[in-house]
Amino acid sequence: MMKMKIISTALAAMILAACNNQGNTVTDFIPGTYVNQAQSEYSVANDTLLITKAKNTENIYLIVRKTGYRRIGDGKLFPLKHEVKNWTGTWNTQQQVMQIMQAETVLIFQPEQNKLLIQSNAYWKL
């Protein structure tokens, strides 16, 4: 009798866990704000990606990339400059990547690490 209770409790817990994980897909993770900071001998930069799902679509996302950067030259920091780019991304369910339509750029989302990758650059989700 006790063995049967343990088995039924374990089975109920597994079913509940499976039901709770159905909503935790990569596509649930995608919308949001992601940040990246980079520095080299030539510049320092801060990037922000704002990703939202396009209305009435299954796999289209709107992406706003805001970049602030300062060039470095002769050991001095130059004035801060800003750039804003608007992109459209298409989510590929089979490959589990997002292709930016305006560039040959692929976004790889890693929800388990709370980040996305663009080539070797990691962006952390806020």
Side-chain angles (χ1 to χ4, degrees), residues 7-26:
I7 291 172
S8 62
T9 302
L11 185 59
M14 288 183 347
I15 291 170
L16 184 60
C19 290
N20 286 341
N21 286 336
Q22 283 181 341
N24 293 335
T25 64
V26 176

Side-chain angles (χ1 to χ4, degrees), residues 44-105:
V44 292
N46 294 302
D47 254 352
T48 301
L49 300 176
L50 304 168
I51 303 176
T52 57
K53 189 166 187 173
K55 292 183 180 185
N56 303 320
T57 68
E58 286 290 318
N59 63 344
I60 305 296
Y61 292 82
L62 306 175
I63 303 160
V64 178
R65 180 182 183 187
K66 297 180 180 182
T67 305
Y69 64 94
R70 296 178 79 173
R71 287 189 329 108
I72 300 172
D74 297 326
K76 295 187 294 185
L77 277 174
F78 285 80
L80 180 64
K81 293 188 178 187
H82 291 94
E83 284 184 2
V84 177
K85 294 182 181 178
N86 292 289
W87 294 335
T88 305
T90 303
W91 176 250
N92 184 315
T93 304
Q94 288 182 324
Q95 295 178 357
Q96 294 288 292
V97 298
M98 184 178 294
Q99 174 70 45
I100 303 300
M101 293 180 187
Q102 293 84 353
E104 292 185 22
T105 303

Side-chain angles (χ1 to χ4, degrees), residues 110-123:
Q110 298 179 333
E112 65 283 350
Q113 296 177 22
N114 203 43
K115 69 180 180 182
L116 75 81
L117 296 174
I118 300 178
Q119 297 169 341
S120 62
N121 298 316
Y123 287 74

